[in-house]
Amino acid sequence: MDRLQAMEVFVRVAEAGSFTAVADHLNVARSAITRQIAGLEAHLGTKLLARSTRRLSLTSSGAAYLEKCREILAMVEAAEGDLAGEKRAPRGPIRISVPMSFGIRHLVPLISDFITTYPEVTVDLEFTDQRVNLIEGGLDFTVRISQQIDPTLVIRRLSTSELTVVAAPAYLDRHGRPQHPDELLGHHCLSYTLAPSSGWSFRIDGEYRTVPIKGRLQMNNGDALLEAAIRGLGITNQPTFISAQAVQAGLLEEVLAEYSATELQIYAVFPGSRYVPHRVRVLVDYLAERLGPTPYWTRAVPRVSA
């Protein structure tokens, strides 16, 4: 039995709490995973995992061994990286969860270029706007876009974006152009159902304030909301990585620009204290470099005042 491989499998099972999830992630039979864990327990002469019909849990020996395995695997990864230096090409699988619109619009082209550059890397890309559990999902990292991020998370900043309030010129010609955020209550607002608040945040008199909105159409996808706005159904509040192209093309017009300076941070979030493989670090560095601190969608459309 390859001891290091068995350690890595054990770490994955312990973090996921499931033999099946790890087997699916590694594309092997569940029996192969259980045999590796059983072989490791036999070699160590102790039980690492307590199995029940409902869940897996670590024994006291398993919890202590898990931390040692993480340390050893991290040291091996670092040692190999130091010996090979920058010449070592990344290889192996990477599993990522990304937001739907941002992923399709901006990450798919970059990741396509990445796997062309590094043909020994394979990427499993999952698109969802829901928050996911990295450990349970067997993910190497997830991309999150937020005004604020939990300070306890292990993160790497990739880029930035801004929220912009936009509507079709035809809609604004019919219903008027709001001059202050409070006037939004007189408009049809197209809202994002996964947003943490029922209102939109604006910087008013030097302070951020949530302004109530109303409307007859809500959706859980930014591109769908953008399409509804282009069709003249109302006003929507979208990040520039979604709205910039339509504004540049004249399909949408930005309003309330002097109030809507809400900045969004784009992060790579890693699972807890688990070591980050070389291939994952290389991909994250690549994305951060290509997206940049001032991304192309922000440079394309200069901000204007209402």
Side-chain angles (χ1 to χ4, degrees), residues 71-125:
E71 292 175 12
I72 291 168
L73 290 169
M75 290 172 65
V76 169
E77 182 73 24
E80 290 179 351
D82 291 342
L83 288 173
E86 295 181 357
K87 295 181 180 178
R88 184 163 76 97
R91 64 172 60 189
I94 303 174
R95 181 169 168 76
I96 318 165
S97 174
V98 301
M100 183 75 70
S101 293
F102 183 74
I104 293 173
R105 283 172 170 264
H106 303 291
L107 293 183
V108 167
L110 297 183
I111 291 173
S112 299
D113 290 345
F114 182 82
I115 63 174
T116 300
T117 303
Y118 300 107
E120 293 184 89
V121 170
T122 61
V123 175
D124 182 352
L125 200 57

Side-chain angles (χ1 to χ4, degrees), residues 156-305:
R156 166 74 188 278
R157 185 176 178 276
L158 298 177
S159 193
T160 186
S161 186
E162 288 183 345
L163 284 172
T164 56
V165 180
V166 294
Y171 171 89
L172 296 172
D173 289 342
R174 290 196 310 271
H175 300 278
R177 287 163 175 78
Q179 301 301 308
H180 190 277
D182 289 336
E183 295 177 22
L184 288 173
L185 276 175
H187 285 270
H188 303 292
C189 292
L190 311 170
S191 59
Y192 183 57
T193 53
L194 299 179
S197 170
S198 59
W200 292 346
S201 179
F202 293 91
R203 189 173 181 84
I204 302 172
D205 297 329
E207 296 182 354
Y208 280 102
R209 178 159 66 87
T210 298
V211 173
I213 59 169
K214 65 179 182 179
R216 295 182 298 134
L217 184 60
Q218 301 180 66
M219 302 187 194
N220 66 351
N221 178 262
D223 272 308
L225 288 165
L226 192 79
E227 179 63 26
I230 290 172
R231 290 175 177 271
L233 297 182
I235 299 176
T236 189
N237 193 18
Q238 292 299 315
T240 49
F241 65 77
I242 291 178
S243 64
Q245 188 176 9
V247 173
Q248 188 178 36
L251 299 174
L252 293 174
E253 178 182 325
E254 184 176 0
V255 297
L256 302 174
E258 61 187 284
Y259 298 100
S260 56
T262 302
E263 189 173 64
L264 301 172
Q265 300 300 325
I266 303 170
Y267 299 98
V269 181
F270 303 96
S273 59
R274 199 172 100 187
Y275 74 101
V276 179
H278 172 68
R279 61 186 178 273
V280 177
R281 293 200 305 270
V282 172
L283 174 56
V284 172
D285 288 346
Y286 179 87
L287 295 178
E289 180 181 356
R290 291 288 298 272
L291 291 171
T294 307
Y296 52 86
W297 57 79
T298 299
R299 296 192 297 268
V301 182
R303 301 302 302 275
V304 296
S305 297

